[in-house]
Amino acid sequence: MKNLYAVLPFLLYLLVTPSTAQTEQKPNILVIVPDDLGWSDVGYQGSEILTPNIDRLARNGKILEQFYVMPTCTPTRVSLMTGKFPSRFGVLAPAYGEVIDLGTPTLPSLLRDAGYFTAIVGKWHLGSPPYTPLKYGFDQSYGYFDGQIDPYTHEYKTETELTDRRSWHRNDQYLDEQGHVTDLLTAEAIRIIEEQREKPFFLYLAHHVPHYPLEETEAYLSLYDDKPQMHPSRKLFAASVSHLDEGIGKILKTLEETGQRENTVILFLSDNGGQKSWQSTEHYRGKYADKPHSVLGNNYPLRGWKGDLYEGGIRVPGIINWPGRLASGKMSLPVHMADWLPSLLELVGIPNPERQRIDGESIWKYLQNPEASPQPTRSFYWKIKGASAVREGDWKLLVRQDGSKELYDLKADFRETRDLSREHPEKVKHLMGLLESYRKDDRD
């Protein structure tokens, strides 16, 4: 009996804080992906939008000054899940049906095989039923299958051969539920964090906002009452981001209250640049016909918008935060979404399967020490419908379907105001060769 009393405090500790005690060696991983958040749509980038919790992640974490994605959502998410450029799967734009080949090793499947509990909360957009999250390595799924939904009805914009208006689901089974999408996703993320389990968790929280269509309550709109010069639809956009930020604050508080904050790596990554505007008289049963979203994201001072291969479409806010393990500051090394799969695998000590040829490279040692040398000369590749681009070092070449080419020195001209293709034909030739080498592994 005395022995029982001696161990009772330890047993109570395990019951109260199982995650802290049992995941000490392997950290929890939380990946937060807002939808269509532009370069200047967060406070720490100088935006007028109020994002105190995201700013806290940035202030106490590492800001990725050159974080690259694809210019639209599905392709970016393919890179996150597989570590590959999406053109390897023939994905050049938002897509449905079978997007990622069934059986392809994915970030959640590799982490699950290594003992992680894996969950997706929010936007999937990596396949239409039956190509749903549980088929690709997630233990649990909750949210919506399609590209964009109404914040309250949770319906997709229309019906197609591959999609239905119904999109909201739990564990890949359709579900009808009431509430604002941001609140529902935040509540589900909190539930997963609070749940007692023996395994560390990988939680992919893919938010709806600030993607159109947007609808927010006065509680969030009133945050911008002191900005009468703000366009009404930009105010709506800002309110949605502040709503998102509030949810992130609740999640951070939950991690702290459950004793898991110091053992949780948090990534905050937008999926593409901000969208300029949106209007539709037909989508969502015409609900937004008289509610044009005339002013949405802000990518200033970068050139271009969502869908472009200019920096404004592919260079986005990115933060990694791990208190006590990664020093705060900024990292200027160019990073691509495809880099997270090998980086996170290295972090938790999982060898990348030999059968999995990927495009991403682990950046973990540079995150630990941004001054580590030698600094690599990174190269990246983008392919969309009608255009391709490649970056090597500070040089970026953009090639359109009609054969026209644009060359930019991003170190001297990150706003891409001066096309140098005529002045540096040798650089164009070299980068065209690199582009062709990347294209060889694409799926037509």
Side-chain angles (χ1 to χ4, degrees), residues 30-32 117 119-122 140 142 170 181-195 197 201-207 247-248 250-252 254-255 258 260:
L30 170 59
V31 179
I32 304 172
F117 167 80
I120 177 174
V121 174
Q140 288 185 12
Y142 174 82
R170 179 179 291 280
V181 58
T182 301
D183 296 327
L184 293 174
L185 299 185
T186 296
E188 180 70 7
I190 289 173
R191 185 195 67 78
I192 289 170
I193 292 168
E194 290 179 335
E195 189 176 65
R197 66 178 67 84
F201 67 75
F202 166 66
L203 173 56
Y204 171 37
L205 174 57
H207 269 286
I248 291 174
K250 293 177 180 178
I251 289 168
L252 294 176
T254 302
L255 287 169
T258 57
Q260 301 179 79

Side-chain angles (χ1 to χ4, degrees), residues 66-316:
Q66 297 191 71
F67 177 58
Y68 285 99
V69 292
M70 302 303 293
T72 53
C73 46
T74 300
T76 290
R77 293 159 205 269
V78 169
S79 287
L80 174 62
M81 290 293 108
T82 68
K84 298 183 179 185
F85 297 138
S87 51
R88 307 314 192 202
F89 298 92
V91 177
L92 310 182
Y96 295 90
E98 185 178 7
V99 174
I100 300 173
D101 299 346
L102 284 174
T104 298
T106 63
L107 181 57
S109 73
L110 293 167
L111 289 172
R112 185 176 65 180
D113 290 347
Y116 273 75
F117 167 80
T118 60
I120 177 174
V121 174
K123 177 176 179 175
W124 173 234
H125 208 188
L126 285 171
S128 310
Y131 304 104
T132 48
L134 300 188
K135 300 280 202 319
Y136 291 90
F138 287 104
D139 292 313
Q140 288 185 12
S141 70
Y142 174 82
Y144 56 107
F145 294 129
D146 302 300
Q148 62 271 3
I149 58 169
D150 181 281
Y152 282 104
T153 69
H154 314 143
E155 284 189 341
Y156 184 51
K157 61 185 179 182
T158 189
E159 296 176 358
T160 70
E161 291 183 1
L162 295 175
T163 63
D164 194 349
R165 289 188 185 274
R166 293 194 79 188
S167 190
W168 200 253
H169 67 92
R170 179 179 291 280
N171 292 331
D172 293 5
Q173 300 299 313
Y174 286 120
L175 171 71
D176 293 320
E177 206 167 22
Q178 294 184 340
H180 191 284
V181 58
T182 301
D183 296 327
L184 293 174
L185 299 185
T186 296
E188 180 70 7
I190 289 173
R191 185 195 67 78
I192 289 170
I193 292 168
E194 290 179 335
E195 189 176 65
Q196 295 185 2
R197 66 178 67 84
E198 296 181 356
K199 299 178 179 181
F201 67 75
F202 166 66
L203 173 56
Y204 171 37
L205 174 57
H207 269 286
H208 163 75
V209 298
H211 196 297
Y212 69 82
L214 296 170
E215 191 170 356
E216 294 293 338
T217 65
E218 185 59 29
Y220 301 103
L221 291 167
S222 64
L223 295 173
Y224 300 93
D225 283 348
D226 62 344
K227 300 184 183 300
Q229 76 284 0
M230 185 179 282
H231 190 281
S233 63
R234 175 64 175 173
K235 182 178 180 180
L236 181 59
F237 182 98
S240 77
V241 176
S242 291
H243 193 173
L244 162 72
D245 182 83
E246 180 186 73
I248 291 174
K250 293 177 180 178
I251 289 168
L252 294 176
K253 183 179 180 181
T254 302
L255 287 169
E256 292 163 358
E257 290 177 345
T258 57
Q260 301 179 79
R261 182 66 185 91
E262 293 184 358
N263 199 45
T264 301
V265 181
I266 299 177
L267 300 179
F268 178 84
L269 315 165
S270 184
D271 66 339
N272 47 248
Q275 182 159 338
K276 185 176 182 178
S277 61
W278 172 78
Q279 183 176 12
S280 175
T281 59
E282 299 177 358
H283 290 165
Y284 307 101
R285 305 180 190 272
K287 178 179 176 181
Y288 298 90
D290 60 347
K291 301 181 181 71
H293 293 30
S294 305
V295 179
L296 291 172
N298 183 1
N299 300 320
Y300 181 83
L302 304 178
R303 178 182 180 181
W305 298 96
K306 172 183 178 179
D308 290 340
L309 291 180
Y310 293 119
E311 295 290 283
I314 59 176
R315 185 170 165 182
V316 298

Side-chain angles (χ1 to χ4, degrees), residues 303 310 396-398 400 404-408 419 421:
R303 178 182 180 181
Y310 293 119
K396 177 180 170 185
L397 179 70
L398 195 158
R400 302 193 185 280
S404 62
K405 301 176 181 64
E406 299 172 33
L407 178 69
Y408 298 100
D419 175 11
S421 58

